[in-house]
Every structure is written in C-alpha cells, then in structure tokens.
C-alpha cells in the first residue's frame, strides 16, 4: 500500500504545465488524500532568474507572489516561495579559505571586477584575476554567478569573514522565508497532518480489503469516516482545502478571515487578536465568531461547500471558546 505523505515541499524551476499536472494528480481532489493545505511549492533555483543579477531574488519573489495569488496555483499548494538553494547550502557551509579567496577577488579593480562578473566565461578567463582559474571555478560551483555577485557586495559592506559572510548569503538565498513557512504552516499542525495521513492509509486499506472480498472493509471505512467527521481539526483541514482550491469562494475580506480562523496555530492568531489579549477578550471574540459564521452557514442561498466552510469556522470558534473556558485564567 503506497504511503500517504504528511506534507509536501515541491521543488520546481518555473511553474510549467508538467508541474501543474503532477501536483493536480498528486492532489487527488478527494480531500481525503493530499491537499493544498499540506503542500508548498518552491522556486528552487531562483538565483538563475534574470541571469543571476543582484536583483534576481527580488524578481523571483515577485514571480512567487504572482503564482501565490493565482487561483489555479492556490488550488494546488498553500503558498509559493523563492529559494536559491545553492546559495543557501554554501552560506551554511562556507569555509574560511573560501572567504579568503572572495576577499582577494573583491580587491580586483572595480572596472575589471565588473567585467569579470558579466558572465561565467569571463569570470573564469585565464587572465581575469590573480586567483587561479581552478579556484574561480570552485567558487562558481559553490556560489553561482548570483552568489559571487552577492558575496562581492557583502564583502564591500564589511562581511569579510566566513562567520560574517555565511549568514548574509543565507539571508539572500530565501531560506529563512522557507523555514518560516514550515514553522508557521506545518509544525503547528504536524500531529493533525500525521493523523490525517493515518486515516487516509486506513481508507486505502479498506478499499484493498473490499477488493479482496473482506467483510471488515465497510466497518473500517465507517470508523475512519466517523473519526474524520467528528474531529474539528480534521474538519478545519478539509475546510481549508475547500477554500484554497476555490471549491468554496468568498469575498477577499471573508476569505482572509477564514484563512486565519482555519489555519491559525493559536487562539489569538485564529481570532485576529494581539498576542497579549486577555482570556475575557478572547472568549468574547470567540463567541462573536461563532455567531457570525453560524449565521452565514445558515444562508439558504449559499453554496453547500461555502456553508460547510462557515459551519467549520463556527465549530473552530466554539472549540477555542471551550479551551478558554476550561483552561485556568
């Protein structure tokens, strides 16, 4: 039986048709399998955008932002981030000998250095620098043209040692943004996603048993469905999938509020309140959210999927209120 992934980080250079097809097939749109909620797309070689210019990551981030706001992409993954993977790896493992070579390179007269940085071929030209061609090729292998340009800029700004330069290269790589996505998006829901993957596996087992003629298949399928339907955390994942996939559509203001309440990792985040908010303020906001979303769930003109999302939002607010009521002030 194939294992169901708990979370997916999908690496791509650009969003080609083949990437969309792969993610769409992987998604399986049954909501019981993978969903946009547990998938993140990464533009993994973003430094190559714009021929590795110093503003390459800015350009890549704008492209990622454009993908992120595309409804079709939003149905396939929770977010898109830009990453220069080579630069991140080198920044984390930069050696002092490499920093010394980069310092020596930075001492090249400005006009000559600018000419060297025009292309990889000119950078490795035999007569371009006092550094040997082998050393320059090693730097290029470790950093790429974008990384060398960033390193020159940072060395001029004062980051002259490996200890100082490495973290700056990592910052330019986009790795901190990806780590933040993982920390905020996956880690708070790790147990729920793992449990959800286990339920998917049980349902797959039930299908296999049914094909084998076992009488236990229906019972197993019913129990998995009962567990999934009864837990509000599973309902939140399903509702977030309906929202992200466009199966349930809302105006922008309501969409952002639903994203917050369905995906918020803390009571304050889910309710949109400051972290220092007191228990009474949180309880009041939770009750208001229950009333607001239950009222919208009762709208007879709403689509069934939208009604489901609103009902789950109300249940989530109820669960928040319940935890605040039972927890000591």
């Amino acid at each position: 039986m194939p294992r169901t992934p708990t979370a997916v980080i999908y690496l791509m250079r650009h969003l080609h048709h083949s990437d969309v097809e792969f993610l769409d097939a992987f998604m399986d749109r049954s909501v019981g399998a993978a969903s946009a909620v547990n998938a993140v797309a990464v533009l993994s070689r973003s430094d190559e955008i714009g021929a590795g210019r110093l503003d390459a990551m800015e350009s890549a981030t704008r492209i990622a932002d454009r993908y992120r706001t595309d409804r079709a992409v939003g149905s396939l993954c929770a977010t898109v981030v830009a990453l220069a993977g080579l630069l991140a790896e080198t920044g984390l493992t930069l050696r002092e000998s490499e920093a010394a070579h980069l310092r020596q390179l930075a001492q090249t007269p400005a006009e000559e250095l600018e000419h060297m940085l025009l292309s990889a071929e000119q950078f490795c030209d035999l007569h371009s620098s006092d550094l040997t061609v082998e050393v320059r090729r090693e730097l290029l292998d470790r950093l790429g043209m974008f990384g060398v340009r960033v390193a020159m800029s940072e060395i001029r700004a004062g980051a002259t040692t490996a200890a100082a330069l490495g973290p700056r290269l990592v910052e330019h790589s986009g790795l901190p943004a990806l780590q933040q996505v993982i920390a905020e998006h996956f880690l708070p829901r790790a147990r729920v996603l793992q449990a959800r993957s286990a339920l998917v596996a049980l349902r797959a087992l039930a299908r296999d048993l049914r094909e084998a003629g076992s009488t236990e298949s229906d019972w197993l399928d019913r129990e998995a469905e009962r567990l999934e339907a009864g837990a509000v955390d599973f309902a939140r994942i399903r509702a977030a999938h309906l929202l992200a996939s466009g199966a349930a559509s809302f105006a922008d203001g309501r969409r952002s509020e639903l994203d917050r309440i369905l995906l918020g990792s803390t009571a304050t985040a889910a309710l949109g309140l400051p972290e220092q908010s007191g228990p009474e303020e949180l309880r009041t906001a939770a009750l208001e959210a229950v009333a607001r979303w239950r009222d919208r769930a009762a709208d007879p003109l709403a689509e069934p999927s939208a009604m489901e999302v609103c009902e789950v939002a109300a249940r989530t607010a109820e669960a928040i209120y319940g935890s605040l009521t039972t927890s000591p002030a």
Side-chain angles (χ1 to χ4, degrees), residues 279 323-329:
S323 68
L324 292 168
T325 303
T326 56
S327 299

Coordinates of all heavy atoms in Angstrom, one line a residue, residues 279 323-329:
P279 N -7.9 36.5 28.5 CA -8.9 35.5 28.4 C -10.3 36.0 28.1 O -11.0 35.4 27.2 CB -8.8 34.7 29.7 CG -7.5 35.0 30.2 CD -7.1 36.4 29.8
S323 N -11.8 25.7 25.0 CA -10.5 25.6 25.6 C -10.2 26.8 26.5 O -9.5 26.6 27.5 CB -9.5 25.6 24.5 OG -9.4 26.8 23.8
L324 N -10.7 27.9 26.2 CA -10.5 29.1 27.1 C -11.3 29.0 28.4 O -10.9 29.5 29.4 CB -10.9 30.4 26.3 CG -10.0 30.8 25.2 CD1 -10.6 31.9 24.3 CD2 -8.6 31.2 25.7
T325 N -12.5 28.4 28.3 CA -13.4 28.2 29.4 C -12.8 27.2 30.4 O -12.9 27.4 31.6 CB -14.8 27.8 29.0 OG1 -15.3 28.8 28.1 CG2 -15.7 27.7 30.2
T326 N -12.3 26.1 29.9 CA -11.8 25.0 30.7 C -10.3 25.3 31.2 O -9.9 24.7 32.2 CB -11.8 23.7 30.0 OG1 -11.0 23.8 28.8 CG2 -13.2 23.3 29.6
S327 N -9.6 26.2 30.5 CA -8.2 26.5 31.0 C -8.2 27.5 32.1 O -9.1 28.4 32.1 CB -7.4 27.1 29.8 OG -7.4 26.1 28.7
P328 N -7.3 27.4 33.0 CA -7.2 28.4 34.1 C -6.9 29.8 33.6 O -6.1 29.9 32.6 CB -6.1 27.9 35.0 CG -5.3 27.0 34.1 CD -6.2 26.4 33.1
A329 N -7.5 30.8 34.1 CA -7.2 32.2 33.6 C -5.8 32.6 33.9 O -5.2 32.1 34.9 CB -8.2 33.1 34.3

